[in-house]
Amino acid sequence: MKTRAITGFFFIIVMLASVLINGYVFGVFYLLLSGLTLIEFYRLVKKAGINPDVITGVLNGAFIYIVFALIAVDSDCHRLIFLLPVTLSAIPIQELFKKNSAPFTNIGYTYLGLIFAIIPFTFFYALAYVDRTSANLHYPMGFLLMLWANDTGAYLVGSKLGRTKLFERHSPKKTWEGLIGGIIITAIAAYIISLYFTELPVDRWICIGVLISCFGTIGDLIESMFKRSIDVKDSGGILPGHGGLLDRFDGLLLAAPVVYAYLYFVTNA
């Protein structure tokens, strides 16, 4: 428990620092973080006997992140998106030259890693530029604070009052009571955030909080389903007491794209 607490403390400090310093540090930090998460994903599937194209996948992952980061900052860079079919085609082409018994399984998991580890971080980064004016790091910071509030609330309420299993087949410890507790705690956090980050009214911050609670929980369940499908307990050991990066950022899997879509239509209406 002590190791978990110390790791959690430094993890929060680093995460907040990456958002608070400036937009460049924010972008580079999450580029590196998404790359490490993708490598962790490929290492996991290799344990299950699958051979994804790691180098080609990581290079494509970095390119996808950079392309969408540039588009988020400057919409005139949208032409770069047409290069993606060219770079992504290298994954199945490369498999042609290998002697594997299940080439499409390898190709499929290489692409899945990009969806699982890269896409969520691209949307998270894009939150800072969702209003198309200048970098506003209040949105990604608010997202992180509410995501942590949801995790904390769900854990505390679930451990004390949890009785009704949410998806026992994929995550035996998650309960409906924990989910509801997480939503309530996140809504309270959203209200507090609205007092300091006044870009949005309180009702919209609370709406974002509810989206993060619901879709963050679903992302957590999907990651648990993935780990069970390849028979592993933790995604890695890079964070002592907390598992791997996929374990820590599974909440971004669906929540970041959904929240970005919501904010895009709200701020550009």
Side-chain angles (χ1 to χ4, degrees), residues 39-114:
I39 292 171
E40 183 179 273
F41 177 91
Y42 288 150
R43 284 178 179 171
L44 282 178
V45 298
K46 278 194 169 187
K47 292 181 180 179
I50 300 161
N51 294 302
D53 297 314
V54 177
I55 296 177
T56 309
V58 171
L59 290 175
N60 269 284
F63 187 64
I64 289 170
Y65 181 97
I66 291 169
V67 165
F68 282 99
L70 291 173
I71 292 172
V73 175
D74 183 1
S75 59
D76 289 338
C77 294
H78 70 277
R79 294 179 182 85
L80 292 173
I81 203 170
F82 295 107
L83 293 175
L84 290 177
V86 179
T87 61
L88 289 170
S89 67
I91 294 171
I93 291 173
Q94 184 176 342
E95 200 67 30
L96 286 172
F97 296 91
K98 297 181 179 180
K99 294 181 179 180
N100 289 319
S101 58
F104 278 94
T105 300
N106 301 333
I107 293 169
Y109 273 93
T110 304
Y111 284 131
L112 181 61
L114 299 176

Side-chain angles (χ1 to χ4, degrees), residues 169-182:
R169 181 159 56 95
H170 300 303
S171 185
K173 293 182 179 180
K174 280 192 170 40
T175 62
W176 282 100
E177 291 83 1
L179 173 63
I180 295 170

Side-chain angles (χ1 to χ4, degrees), residues 16-238:
L16 290 179
S18 70
V19 178
L20 288 171
I21 296 176
N22 60 50
Y24 296 108
V25 173
F26 174 63
V28 173
F29 178 80
Y30 282 95
L31 170 62
L32 296 175
L33 197 59
S34 63
L36 290 173
T37 306
L38 180 60
I39 292 171
E40 183 179 273
F41 177 91
Y42 288 150
R43 284 178 179 171
L44 282 178
V45 298
K46 278 194 169 187
K47 292 181 180 179
I50 300 161
N51 294 302
D53 297 314
V54 177
I55 296 177
T56 309
V58 171
L59 290 175
N60 269 284
F63 187 64
I64 289 170
Y65 181 97
I66 291 169
V67 165
F68 282 99
L70 291 173
I71 292 172
V73 175
D74 183 1
S75 59
D76 289 338
C77 294
H78 70 277
R79 294 179 182 85
L80 292 173
I81 203 170
F82 295 107
L83 293 175
L84 290 177
V86 179
T87 61
L88 289 170
S89 67
I91 294 171
I93 291 173
Q94 184 176 342
E95 200 67 30
L96 286 172
F97 296 91
K98 297 181 179 180
K99 294 181 179 180
N100 289 319
S101 58
F104 278 94
T105 300
N106 301 333
I107 293 169
Y109 273 93
T110 304
Y111 284 131
L112 181 61
L114 299 176
I115 297 171
F116 218 87
I118 300 298
I119 299 302
F121 285 105
T122 64
F123 277 101
F124 179 72
Y125 173 80
L127 285 174
Y129 299 90
V130 70
D131 58 8
R132 299 291 182 182
T133 53
S134 59
N136 186 346
L137 297 178
H138 287 174
Y139 291 137
M141 178 177 285
F143 184 102
L144 286 178
L145 293 174
M146 287 186 282
L147 187 64
W148 294 335
N150 176 66
D151 290 343
T152 302
Y155 172 76
L156 292 176
V157 175
S159 61
K160 297 295 183 181
L161 304 174
R163 297 291 184 272
T164 311
K165 300 297 182 182
L166 184 59
F167 270 95
E168 188 172 10
R169 181 159 56 95
H170 300 303
S171 185
K173 293 182 179 180
K174 280 192 170 40
T175 62
W176 282 100
E177 291 83 1
L179 173 63
I180 295 170
I183 292 174
I184 293 172
I185 297 298
T186 307
I188 294 172
Y191 171 74
I192 296 172
I193 289 170
S194 72
L195 300 178
Y196 298 93
F197 298 165
T198 57
E199 295 88 344
L200 297 173
V202 60
D203 60 325
R204 289 182 177 172
W205 277 115
I206 290 175
C207 185
I208 291 172
V210 173
L211 290 174
I212 289 173
S213 293
C214 294
F215 286 95
T217 301
I218 294 172
D220 192 334
L221 289 168
I222 291 173
E223 199 252 350
S224 296
M225 180 173 63
F226 164 67
K227 289 190 297 183
R228 286 180 177 274
S229 71
I230 59 174
D231 195 26
V232 298
K233 184 177 184 292
D234 293 322
S235 65
I238 193 171

